[in-house]
DNA sequence: AACCTGCCCAACCGCTCCTGG
DNA sequence: ACCAGGAGCGGTTGGGCAGGT
């Protein structure tokens, strides 16, 4: 087949993006959109491959990106959505406005997966760091990017902005524990650990609603054409999940 | 104070999916 | 129906940093 390498690695820059590159990319996308990622770097005068530009935009420069630590609600949503969807990070990201698949993936691998590991006591999950490093200060120029309405932004924004607005500041990973662990801990240490019913009903309702049109791919799948079996699968997992949830609430506290 | 260790996250890689010719 | 090219996705990596010794 002879697929051309994504970046014909001649003279193309790699590694971390500079603020200047960010600025150029944002300015170009503001002006011209990103209909063709492959051609974009040339048009914008960037020595990057299109893939790299796309990744940078999606994961970092998009105006609707929400920076900062995941809230407890978001983490729990990730856990539950992962239950339902597996490693389909983009589908999970579509449910979490402002969060990217990459970010969710990172959080999953660094925190949430460990939480769910049953063999390790929760006490081991205490972080070494008291404060996450970069999250506090807004990343480079993204903060100063003032976008008008970007028609190309495929923000999977949905009614549950409540999710994203409930910014209960930063997540305290030391205190946080999974639903499972919490069940085991009898929720004791978490006086305020109580997911509102409305949260889950919203989240789940969304899952149901979306599965009827373009499930999971929210804004990112322009075609919005899910696999024929997606709805069935979704129903299955949804039922399974809801069953599991109700079972969990009935668990005897250990 | 210096070194070591482990964590975090941005970015890369390679594969699959999708679309147009 | 087939092929090629582009986009999207998930897995992985490595540099930088914070905490520990």
């Amino acid at each position: 087949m002879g697929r051309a390498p994504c970046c014909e690695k001649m003279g193309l820059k790699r590694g971390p993006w500079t603020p200047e590159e960010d600025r150029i990319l944002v300015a170009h996308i503001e002006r011209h959109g990103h209909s063709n990622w492959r051609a974009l770097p040339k048009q914008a005068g960037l020595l990057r491959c299109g893939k790299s530009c796309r990744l940078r935009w999606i994961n970092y420069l998009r105006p609707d990106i929400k920076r900062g630590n995941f809230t407890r609600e978001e983490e729990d949503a990730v856990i539950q959505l992962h239950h339902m969807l597996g490693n389909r990070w983009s589908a999970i990201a579509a449910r979490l406005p402002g969060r990217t698949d990459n970010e969710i993936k990172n959080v999953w691998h660094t925190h949430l997966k460990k939480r769910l590991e049953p063999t390790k006591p929760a006490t081991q999950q205490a972080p070494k760091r008291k404060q996450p490093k970069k999250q506090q200060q807004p990343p480079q120029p993204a903060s100063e990017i003032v976008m008008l309405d970007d028609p190309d932004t495929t923000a999977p924004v949905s009614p549950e902005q409540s999710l994203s607005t409930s910014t209960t500041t930063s997540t305290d990973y030391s205190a946080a524990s999974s639903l499972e662990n919490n069940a085991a801990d009898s929720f004791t240490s978490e006086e305020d650990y109580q997911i509102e019913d409305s949260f889950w009903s919203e989240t789940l309702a969304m899952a149901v609603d979306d599965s009827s049109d373009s499930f999971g791919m929210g804004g990112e799948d322009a075609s919005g054409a899910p696999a024929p079996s997606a709805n069935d699968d979704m129903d299955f997992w949804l039922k399974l999940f809801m069953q599991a949830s109700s079972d969990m609430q009935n668990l005897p506290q250990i």
Side-chain angles (χ1 to χ4, degrees), chain A residues 20-179:
Chain A
E20 177 65 10
E21 287 177 310
D22 283 344
R23 203 181 50 74
I24 293 172
L25 179 60
V26 169
H28 183 83
I29 291 178
E30 272 182 330
R31 204 167 304 142
H32 302 104
H34 50 70
S35 53
N36 186 344
W37 285 113
R38 201 175 168 80
L40 189 146
K42 271 182 194 167
Q43 296 167 354
L46 286 166
L47 288 174
R48 296 275 182 173
C49 73
K51 223 172 176 178
S52 181
C53 293
R54 177 183 159 272
L55 216 53
R56 182 65 178 171
W57 172 256
I58 288 179
N59 288 332
Y60 213 83
L61 299 174
R62 252 171 32 187
D64 56 324
I65 294 287
K66 185 165 71 174
R67 312 297 306 179
N69 293 335
F70 274 49
T71 63
R72 178 77 55 80
E73 288 83 0
E74 285 174 316
E75 289 184 347
D76 290 330
V78 170
I79 290 170
Q80 295 302 336
L81 288 166
H82 187 267
H83 263 302
M84 296 159 62
L85 302 167
N87 290 1
R88 295 172 56 200
W89 306 116
S90 61
I92 294 173
R95 304 266 176 236
L96 294 173
R99 299 300 188 183
T100 68
D101 54 354
N102 203 33
E103 198 177 8
I104 292 171
K105 193 164 54 181
N106 282 334
V107 168
W108 175 262
H109 284 124
T110 53
H111 304 299
L112 305 182
K113 194 168 72 174
K114 292 174 191 168
R115 273 208 236 160
L116 295 181
E117 281 173 7
T119 55
K120 293 183 182 174
T123 53
Q124 287 187 358
Q125 315 309 325
K128 248 169 95 174
R129 300 179 184 180
K130 287 171 183 167
Q131 297 211 343
K133 39 179 179 182
K134 293 171 193 169
Q135 310 281 20
Q136 306 307 338
Q137 81 251 22
Q140 306 144 14
S143 60
E144 64 193 42
I145 297 165
V146 180
M147 304 285 287
L148 305 176
D149 240 19
D150 182 4
D152 287 308
T153 327
T154 55
V157 179
S158 65
E160 39 103 68
Q161 280 295 18
S162 59
L163 225 183
S164 54
T165 52
S166 63
T167 344
T168 55
T169 66
S170 61
T171 299
D172 180 0
Y173 289 119
S174 64
S177 51
S178 70
L179 275 181

Side-chain angles (χ1 to χ4, degrees), chain A residues 199-246:
Chain A
F199 167 71
W200 289 119
S201 58
E202 275 181 29
T203 304
L204 293 172
M206 267 183 42
V208 173
D209 288 343
D210 289 6
S211 67
S212 63
D213 49 48
S214 61
F215 159 71
M217 292 309 165
E220 63 198 51
D221 187 1
S223 68
S229 62
N231 290 349
D232 294 340
D233 288 349
M234 195 61 218
D235 282 346
F236 169 77
W237 288 109
L238 187 58
K239 283 173 188 165
L240 190 66
F241 163 62
M242 293 182 80
Q243 178 65 44
S245 292
S246 62

Side-chain angles (χ1 to χ4, degrees), chain A residues 175-197:
Chain A
S177 51
S178 70
L179 275 181
E180 285 80 352
N181 286 339
N182 268 313
D185 293 346
S186 314
F187 297 94
T188 45
S189 60
E190 300 296 330
E191 65 281 2
D192 61 345
Y193 185 76
Q194 189 76 1
I195 302 175
E196 290 182 15
D197 288 342

